[in-house]
Amino acid sequence: MEAETNRPNFWNDQEKAQSIMRRLAANKKLVEQWRNLEKKTKDTLELVSIMADDEDSHLEEEVRSEAEAMSALLDKLELELAFSDEYDSRNAILSIHAGAGGTESQDWSEILMRMYLRWAERRGYRAEVLDMSPGDEAGLKNAVIEISGSYACGYLKSEHGVHRLVRISPYDADRARHTSFAMVEVMPEAESDVDTSIEPEELKVDVFRSSGPGGQHMQKTSSAVRMTHLPTGIVATSQSERSQFQNKEIAMKILQSRLLELELKKRAEERARLKGEHVSAGWGNQIRSYVLHPYRMVKDHRTGYQTGNTDDVLDGGLDEFITAYLRKNIGVEDND
């Protein structure tokens, strides 16, 4: 099937203009936050001056509350200023892939997907499942999620790597302990032709019937789409929508983001080669372990940060792990 990728220049120009406007809006928001912090600082200093002349416990409580709020905001803004990659402010395309282990790893992949959806909800980000392949018996073989919000990619890049789960298996009649693995990939959302250019002859598009649950409609129509970028061999699929047109759009979005990620990886490898650094393979050592038996602990192996509150972490409580990772990357140690 021949790909339909040619579009009028008008649309390309419009997408470029939208990209510029998004960046301007992000910069404007950042400036407003710093000005807001500056104003709060001045107001608090005035309260301190008043409090020095009038020993009022109510004022002291108000000053302490304002100081704590400003400290939290300052920490957040410092982290965002430290985002050095040009794509950190973008939306994120997050992919989850079950490792070897069948149902166990596929169930772990579904748990991770829920964790990231809950994290996005907690932060007020918009999350949309772009594609999902159900497991053979339970869980997911893989899933692709788009998470939209300020610096979504910058925050979530801490999640890129292998995640390890240790627990008593709910699928094992002997109640044996199992170890499961899943790979999480985080890519910046590509802005169409602004970031990547795909020629029609470079693209192979196949349509097929959607797999997994979905009713008779999903089985009778060839609505699922598989796009292959012939020069690189990169494949993107989408079968979550009933419309073949919608699945094409989603598959193209995923493909463009994967091509952008490939280019960024090449740049990183070249920089590492020039510096003589080692570049680890994708399925290398795990970045984080989630242990639910014989004790309960989540530990990040890159930063050493850990917590025993596993339920909160799996319910989206990732901010402390993300902050520890970002601070380590910019050489700032936590005081806690």
Side-chain angles (χ1 to χ4, degrees):
M1 180 177 178
E2 191 172 320
E4 298 177 2
T5 57
N6 287 327
R7 291 178 296 176
N9 289 333
F10 166 76
W11 294 110
N12 294 338
D13 293 341
Q14 188 179 53
E15 286 169 353
K16 291 177 182 177
Q18 289 174 346
S19 172
I20 293 171
M21 292 304 295
R22 277 194 294 269
R23 280 184 288 224
L24 285 173
N27 289 334
K28 181 180 178 183
K29 181 180 179 181
L30 185 61
V31 170
E32 287 175 351
Q33 287 177 320
W34 279 103
R35 285 178 175 167
N36 181 48
L37 181 60
E38 181 183 29
K39 183 178 182 301
K40 282 181 175 292
T41 302
K42 290 179 179 178
D43 292 343
T44 304
L45 287 173
E46 287 181 8
L47 282 177
V48 171
S49 178
I50 295 172
M51 190 176 67
D53 299 329
D54 182 7
E55 294 183 3
D56 188 334
S57 60
H58 176 70
L59 281 178
E60 182 179 348
E61 183 180 337
E62 185 176 349
V63 168
R64 183 179 293 109
S65 176
E66 284 294 324
E68 289 174 356
M70 287 190 299
S71 177
L73 178 57
L74 181 60
D75 286 344
K76 174 180 177 291
L77 292 175
E78 282 181 338
L79 284 178
E80 291 186 357
L81 280 180
F83 289 142
S84 57
D85 294 343
E86 60 181 308
Y87 299 102
D88 280 344
S89 62
R90 296 274 186 96
N91 297 334
I93 302 292
L94 188 146
S95 301
I96 303 170
H97 308 276
T103 302
E104 292 294 335
S105 293
Q106 290 165 15
D107 185 54
W108 174 222
S109 294
E110 186 170 29
I111 293 171
L112 284 174
M113 183 180 77
R114 179 188 178 277
M115 180 180 76
Y116 290 119
L117 292 175
R118 291 288 292 115
W119 175 81
E121 182 182 337
R122 285 186 176 198
R123 290 193 67 92
Y125 287 173
R126 183 177 65 83
E128 180 182 1
V129 178
L130 298 181
D131 190 41
M132 187 169 58
S133 296
D136 297 323
E137 297 179 22
L140 302 168
K141 291 180 180 177
N142 54 69
V144 181
I145 311 168
E146 179 183 23
I147 298 181
S148 306
S150 178
Y151 291 97
C153 189
Y155 284 114
L156 284 170
K157 63 184 179 183
S158 66
E159 302 304 297
H160 190 108
V162 177
H163 296 245
R164 170 179 174 257
L165 172 70
V166 180
R167 65 172 176 174
I168 296 294
S169 169
Y171 303 100
D172 190 330
D174 296 328
R175 305 292 293 168
R177 189 172 67 184
H178 284 253
T179 300
S180 308
F181 296 90
M183 166 70 88
V184 175
E185 295 178 299
V186 179
M187 304 169 286
E189 181 184 37
E191 294 183 345
S192 191
D193 295 338
V194 176
D195 294 317
T196 60
S197 178
I198 302 175
E199 300 298 330
E201 61 271 14
E202 296 178 339
L203 198 62
K204 179 185 177 185
V205 181
D206 300 304
V207 295
F208 57 97
R209 291 182 181 178
S210 300
S211 60
Q216 292 183 347
H217 173 85
M218 298 291 283
Q219 302 301 323
K220 288 182 178 179
T221 62
S222 297
S223 59
V225 174
R226 180 188 300 110
M227 287 187 174
T228 305
H229 185 244
L230 299 176
T232 61
I234 292 177
V235 177
T237 63
S238 177
Q239 56 182 338
S240 58
E241 301 293 335
R242 292 194 169 193
S243 162
Q244 186 183 118
F245 176 77
Q246 288 178 303
N247 281 327
K248 278 184 180 179
E249 286 192 328
I250 291 171
M252 178 61 77
K253 175 182 289 190
I254 296 171
L255 181 62
Q256 288 173 324
S257 292
R258 286 182 175 159
L259 287 172
L260 175 58
E261 176 67 10
L262 177 63
E263 177 59 29
L264 296 179
K265 184 179 178 182
K266 287 179 180 178
R267 295 181 198 174
E269 288 175 347
E270 179 61 18
R271 287 195 298 268
R273 185 187 67 79
L274 293 173
K275 293 180 180 179
E277 298 174 351
H278 172 67
V279 179
S280 60
W283 276 100
N285 296 330
Q286 65 268 12
I287 64 164
R288 193 178 299 150
S289 291
Y290 306 71
V291 181
L292 305 183
H293 184 84
Y295 55 90
R296 299 180 73 84
M297 181 72 69
V298 181
K299 179 176 181 179
D300 194 292
H301 302 291
R302 300 160 301 177
T303 64
Y305 181 82
Q306 62 185 38
T307 178
N309 194 353
T310 56
D311 290 339
D312 181 65
V313 173
L314 294 176
D315 197 39
L318 295 171
D319 282 347
E320 295 299 327
F321 286 96
I322 291 173
T323 299
Y325 174 83
L326 293 174
R327 286 186 175 277
K328 182 178 176 64
N329 273 8
I330 62 176
V332 177
E333 298 296 332
D334 286 319
N335 297 322
D336 298 339

